[in-house]
Amino acid sequence: MRLFKKEHDTVQVLCFPEETVEKGDYLVVEDLKAKRSLLVQVVDIQFANLPGMMEDLVREDVGDAYLFGEDYDPLQLNSQITLLRDIRILLGKIRCSIQGGSIDMNVSWLPSRVHSQIYRLKPHQLFELLKLGFRRPIKIGDDGDGFELRIDADALDGKLSIITGRKGSGKSHLSKLLVLGLVDHGAPVLVFDVNGEYVNLGVNPNGEKNRYHDRIMVLNPAKNFKVTLSYMGLATASSLLAHVLSLPETSLREFSRIWKNLERSDSLSLKSLKNTLRCCDLNEHVREALLSRVYTLERSGFVVEEGEETVRLEDFFAKTSGTGGAAVINLSRSFPLERKLVVEFTLSKLVELLRVRRVKACFLFAEEAHLYLRETYWEDAVTRMRHLGLFTTFITNRPDSIGEDIYRQADSIFLFNFKNEHDLNAISKAARIDGETMKAIAQSLKPHHCMTIGQVTGEIPFVIRVKPLDVKTMGETRTFFS
């Protein structure tokens, strides 16, 4: 390979046919005289447009041998001409420079054409150079040559991450690897599972219990995940009524008054709340509005009477303290309204526990969050909740459902294959690399390959093949012909 041209942050490299390079690969342009190198990522591969190349190809195609007799090549030039036809131009983006075995973001210098050598740098070599995956490693994949690639759990701690890609590209597979990796390092994880894909993380593919079995708690709303009004509290109950059940402000004030009276008399329950609403002096429209909402809470099966078996979130965090664990809230069998009730309660209660420091911190994984998370929570999750200790990873196949402001605050993006230009445009507006690179590589990613962008790989974008997961993953599309 030879250095050919540089324009702004783009480098063009001549590549001969016997040299194997793919999109996303990294090249080192090493200036032997200056003793420093440029790190360049290949974003496109083209044929070299040599003078007379089209004329030569057309001449061969019309059949010179048939028109003028057999070819006579006394100087043996045919082999060289054939080689020239396959010479390629590698278009690469400069990411950083390397000097003295360390990364340097200063790329204001230009390597020599004469004294430079160019070679491909394997991903595991670059991971070692960047010192990734040494402190609290999470194994997420390999580089295609059998070398494991690891990231640090610290890169998710206190951070906002986004996993996005089209259906079937491997988003949830990577998400499960991250969940189990965090559990390995003693972290508490909460998962909103829309499709029932995480419920068997504690089971091997053959159905046997694995080492995570006792650290995975599956919560099924209205079955083994129920709450009472007293545990819910007035603030959370008001949030449910206002944001999920659209209770008007006037009715909400009356509800708060009645709730506080019942609390003072130590008689707060669903039954006493309904009886009080029926008997007290209220405007008829307010009464009907409140009763209809309370009946909705009761019918959901999620809010139950005092004395029934319930779950307290703080008990889960106390149980997993020091050992790590994941609470999977299985929303796959819940109706949309019930799903929103459960999510609103969980987030409100979690924020309350974080605020009073009964819970140190929590990693939240939100699958297809646009289906159940109200819009204001998108912003809360990346600002207010983040400072309280709730660190969110959004997983979605609809990147346009996530606001541009959230992309701009994302610390890391795991990008799987996309073909749709509209989807790529939504991400490229705020991704920490140029849109040209992102679009060029994302459209050619194979299944279960992702491009990592951001702090998780030291601000150097990588293409990673996600490793197989040795648990019963679930989530496969049900088919008729199988």
Side-chain angles (χ1 to χ4, degrees), residues 417-456:
N417 178 270
F418 270 122
K419 297 293 185 184
N420 191 312
E421 192 78 17
H422 176 72
D423 292 328
L424 291 170
N425 285 335
I427 307 168
S428 64
K429 290 177 182 176
R432 297 190 178 194
I433 60 172
D434 57 286
E436 179 188 351
T437 297
M438 199 203 64
K439 291 179 183 179
I441 296 178
Q443 289 180 326
S444 59
L445 286 172
K446 303 172 188 175
H448 293 279
H449 286 67
C450 76
M451 180 167 65
T452 60
I453 306 166
Q455 292 187 17
V456 74

Side-chain angles (χ1 to χ4, degrees), residues 312-364:
R312 294 162 56 89
L313 291 179
E314 52 264 51
D315 293 341
F316 162 74
F317 289 104
K319 180 183 177 183
T320 59
S321 177
T323 61
V328 178
I329 300 179
N330 183 13
L331 302 172
S332 62
R333 297 188 178 181
S334 300
F335 292 109
L337 182 62
E338 296 165 357
R339 189 188 296 155
K340 291 177 180 177
L341 283 171
V342 173
V343 170
E344 186 79 24
F345 162 78
T346 305
L347 288 178
S348 296
K349 196 67 183 178
L350 193 54
V351 168
E352 179 187 320
L353 295 172
L354 288 166
R355 186 183 292 115
V356 298
R357 297 187 180 276
R358 294 185 67 182
V359 174
K360 180 180 178 181
C362 179
F363 293 87
L364 172 67

Side-chain angles (χ1 to χ4, degrees), residues 262-445:
L262 291 172
E263 271 190 330
R264 278 194 291 268
S265 61
D266 196 25
S267 58
L268 180 63
S269 68
L270 276 173
K271 184 178 180 181
S272 62
L273 180 59
K274 288 185 292 185
N275 289 337
T276 303
L277 288 173
R278 291 192 195 100
C279 301
C280 69
D281 184 21
L282 284 174
N283 177 282
E284 194 62 32
H285 295 294
V286 172
R287 187 196 316 279
E288 289 301 318
L290 289 172
L291 275 173
S292 65
R293 267 79 171 178
V294 172
Y295 282 129
T296 299
L297 292 177
E298 186 178 34
R299 283 195 302 270
S300 71
F302 178 60
V303 183
V304 295
E305 287 287 0
E306 303 294 324
E308 291 194 37
E309 187 176 350
T310 59
V311 169
R312 294 162 56 89
L313 291 179
E314 52 264 51
D315 293 341
F316 162 74
F317 289 104
K319 180 183 177 183
T320 59
S321 177
T323 61
V328 178
I329 300 179
N330 183 13
L331 302 172
S332 62
R333 297 188 178 181
S334 300
F335 292 109
L337 182 62
E338 296 165 357
R339 189 188 296 155
K340 291 177 180 177
L341 283 171
V342 173
V343 170
E344 186 79 24
F345 162 78
T346 305
L347 288 178
S348 296
K349 196 67 183 178
L350 193 54
V351 168
E352 179 187 320
L353 295 172
L354 288 166
R355 186 183 292 115
V356 298
R357 297 187 180 276
R358 294 185 67 182
V359 174
K360 180 180 178 181
C362 179
F363 293 87
L364 172 67
F365 283 73
E367 275 271 2
E368 305 299 347
H370 60 274
L371 295 177
Y372 52 81
L373 211 59
R374 60 184 169 91
E375 193 169 331
T376 53
Y377 262 134
W378 289 101
E379 297 173 4
D380 280 352
V382 300
T383 52
R384 187 169 62 90
M385 292 182 188
R386 191 175 181 177
H387 292 296
L388 289 171
L390 186 64
F391 316 130
T392 310
T393 299
F394 294 118
I395 305 105
T396 182
N397 59 10
R398 286 183 50 193
D400 57 343
S401 67
I402 299 177
E404 189 175 321
D405 290 341
I406 296 177
Y407 277 115
R408 292 190 184 282
Q409 295 184 67
D411 298 288
S412 300
I413 297 176
F414 298 88
L415 178 61
F416 286 81
N417 178 270
F418 270 122
K419 297 293 185 184
N420 191 312
E421 192 78 17
H422 176 72
D423 292 328
L424 291 170
N425 285 335
I427 307 168
S428 64
K429 290 177 182 176
R432 297 190 178 194
I433 60 172
D434 57 286
E436 179 188 351
T437 297
M438 199 203 64
K439 291 179 183 179
I441 296 178
Q443 289 180 326
S444 59
L445 286 172

Side-chain angles (χ1 to χ4, degrees), residues 161-177:
S161 304
I162 297 172
I163 303 175
T164 186
R166 63 180 181 148
K167 178 184 173 184
S169 56
K171 303 182 302 300
S172 298
H173 193 87
L174 173 63
S175 175
K176 292 164 194 167
L177 284 170

